[in-house]
């Protein structure tokens, strides 16, 4: 597991916590942990932060400013257990110093950037560093990302639960860009009665519609220009659903359009927004249209809501 080694410059007014003890005694966090629920707004991330993350942090800051003494904690941890073999764990961008600046500017009070050892401490006792894990089972994690990235959601659910239990926030904020991840986290929170509210924040897009993602920086300038076809195709699919086209037809048209534009499509699916199972048989309905497609070596995912009224 590669880690950024140089100690970064920490902007004034921001605390960088590197382990649980430092987190617990960070200004605002120690006292807040005594309260129930702790007035902490939490944004878990893997770093390489962009304006989409800033929107999450700003939303957390706004929510916390309504509570006296509210604190915003952002975690930055590239979680190895959610990457499959051959995925981009080693080259995942690590930009801690720039991330700290973005966190401060967006309104964070504390950044929790633990080492892999802090999160997965018992490597010598348990392969993977821990013996316990959490798994959201069933169709929700077997479909779409689940079928293309086996084990991915086990890694996500486990690290999210660990981070939630370490930070113990009143509210945790997740982006809608990872729609299936959001559904998995909500299911885990409901099924296990977790005492944390899960809030979602809409996807932030570039001017040409491309959803912001840490992985967009892998795209060459030509690929970046071509990537705009993905949101354009999604928006056209949304219009087709509204106009009354059948979900299966919309899926086919979306796949064809993206394939013709040079994408290798993993899936293009019209689904129930909560279960990610098939959409309702009859309108009116609101569905989620989800896409994963590769452009060269870069895998992009995106989704939009679509409504058919009659
Ligand atoms: O969405 C992400 O950045 C990650 O999957 C998360 C939620 C921080 C867990 O590692």
């Amino acid at each position: 597991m590669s880690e950024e080694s140089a100690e970064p410059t920490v902007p004034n007014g921001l605390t960088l916590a590197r382990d649980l003890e430092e987190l617990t005694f960070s200004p605002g966090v120690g006292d807040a942990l005594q309260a129930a629920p702790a007035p902490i707004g939490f944004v878990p991330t893997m770093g390489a932060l962009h304006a989409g993350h800033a929107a999450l942090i700003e939303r957390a800051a706004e929510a916390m400013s309504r509570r006296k003494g509210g604190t915003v904690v952002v975690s930055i941890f590239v979680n190895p257990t959610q990457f499959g073999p051959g995925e981009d764990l080693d080259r995942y961008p690590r930009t801690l110093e720039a991330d700290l600046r973005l966190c401060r500017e967006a309104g964070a009070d504390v950044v929790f950037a633990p080492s892999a050892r802090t999160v997965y401490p018992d490597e010598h006792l348990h392969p993977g560093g821990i013996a316990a894990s959490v798994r959201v089972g069933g169709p929700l994690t077997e479909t779409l990302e689940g079928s293309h990235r086996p084990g991915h959601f086990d890694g996500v659910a486990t690290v999210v639960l660990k981070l939630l239990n370490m930070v113990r926030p009143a509210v945790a904020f997740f982006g809608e860009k990872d729609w299936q991840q959001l559904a998995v986290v909500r299911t885990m929170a409901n099924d296990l009665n977790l005492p944390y509210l899960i809030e979602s924040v809409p996807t932030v897009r570039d001017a040409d519609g491309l959803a912001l993602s840490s992985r967009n920086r892998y795209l060459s300038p030509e690929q970046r220009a071509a990537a705009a076809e993905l949101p354009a195709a999604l928006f056209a699919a949304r219009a087709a659903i509204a106009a009354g086209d059948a979900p299966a037809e919309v899926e086919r048209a979306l796949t064809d359009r993206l394939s013709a534009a040079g994408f290798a499509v993993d899936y293009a699916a019209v689904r129930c927004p909560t279960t990610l199972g098939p959409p309702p048989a009859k309108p009116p309905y609101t569905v989620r249209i989800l896409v994963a497609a590769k452009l060269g070596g870069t895998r992009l995912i995106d989704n939009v809501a679509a409504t058919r009224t009659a």
Side-chain angles (χ1 to χ4, degrees):
M1 298 167 201
S2 67
E3 305 229 354
E4 206 171 49
S5 51
E7 272 309 304
T9 307
V10 180
N12 274 345
L14 186 72
T15 301
L16 173 63
R18 291 298 216 158
D19 59 29
L20 200 44
E21 197 177 338
E22 284 178 12
L23 174 68
T24 304
F25 292 103
S26 294
V29 174
D31 292 342
L33 284 175
Q34 307 307 317
I40 291 176
F42 177 43
V43 180
T45 82
M46 296 206 300
L49 304 182
H50 48 66
H53 296 107
L56 289 163
I57 298 166
E58 282 160 10
R59 173 79 168 274
E62 190 194 277
M64 286 307 108
S65 71
R66 280 188 237 116
R67 293 163 173 262
K68 199 169 166 285
T71 298
V72 175
V73 178
V74 177
S75 68
I76 297 179
F77 178 62
V78 182
N79 173 40
T81 66
Q82 69 188 77
F83 289 78
E87 291 188 353
D88 56 343
L89 173 61
D90 289 336
R91 71 175 181 132
Y92 199 85
R94 280 136 172 111
T95 57
L96 184 57
E97 193 145 328
D99 291 349
L100 295 178
R101 284 195 299 274
L102 181 144
C103 285
R104 187 66 199 133
E105 280 157 25
D109 300 293
V110 175
V111 169
F112 180 42
S115 66
R117 200 34 101 74
T118 295
V119 181
Y120 299 109
D122 291 331
E123 198 92 47
H124 58 294
L125 286 179
H126 310 291
I130 50 172
S133 61
V134 62
R135 167 158 229 228
V136 175
L140 178 59
T141 51
E142 283 160 12
T143 187
L144 305 175
E145 288 302 288
S147 64
H148 287 272
R149 304 184 69 190
H152 170 67
F153 287 124
D154 295 346
V156 169
T158 300
V159 83
V160 167
L161 182 58
K162 282 171 68 65
L163 290 167
L164 287 170
N165 286 340
M166 286 189 258
V167 177
R168 286 187 275 160
V171 195
F173 298 82
F174 291 82
E176 291 183 359
K177 166 154 181 303
D178 293 296
W179 185 263
Q180 192 172 6
Q181 167 174 283
L182 175 63
V184 169
V185 170
R186 279 194 197 289
T187 302
M188 172 174 75
N190 287 336
D191 289 1
L192 299 179
N193 305 99
L194 300 184
Y196 315 112
L197 286 178
I198 306 299
E199 271 200 31
S200 66
V201 176
T203 302
V204 177
R205 298 178 180 281
D206 263 339
D208 64 0
L210 185 67
L212 297 190
S213 163
S214 306
R215 291 185 167 102
N216 290 354
R217 61 188 84 193
Y218 299 154
L219 297 167
S220 68
E222 297 72 31
Q223 288 169 336
R224 174 61 193 82
E229 184 63 4
L230 192 139
L234 262 181
F235 300 155
R238 175 172 62 194
I241 290 284
D245 289 4
E249 235 175 275
V250 173
E251 289 178 348
R252 251 191 319 275
L254 188 48
T255 306
D256 291 350
R257 178 167 171 173
L258 290 173
S259 305
F263 289 84
V265 180
D266 276 353
Y267 58 79
V270 178
R271 296 289 172 92
C272 162
T274 44
T275 64
L276 296 184
K282 288 198 184 128
Y285 49 62
T286 292
V287 292
R288 206 81 197 177
I289 311 174
L290 305 103
V291 167
K294 275 199 189 119
L295 202 50
T298 306
R299 189 168 182 276
L300 302 172
I301 63 170
D302 198 356
N303 68 86
V304 293
T307 302
R308 181 173 168 189
T309 50

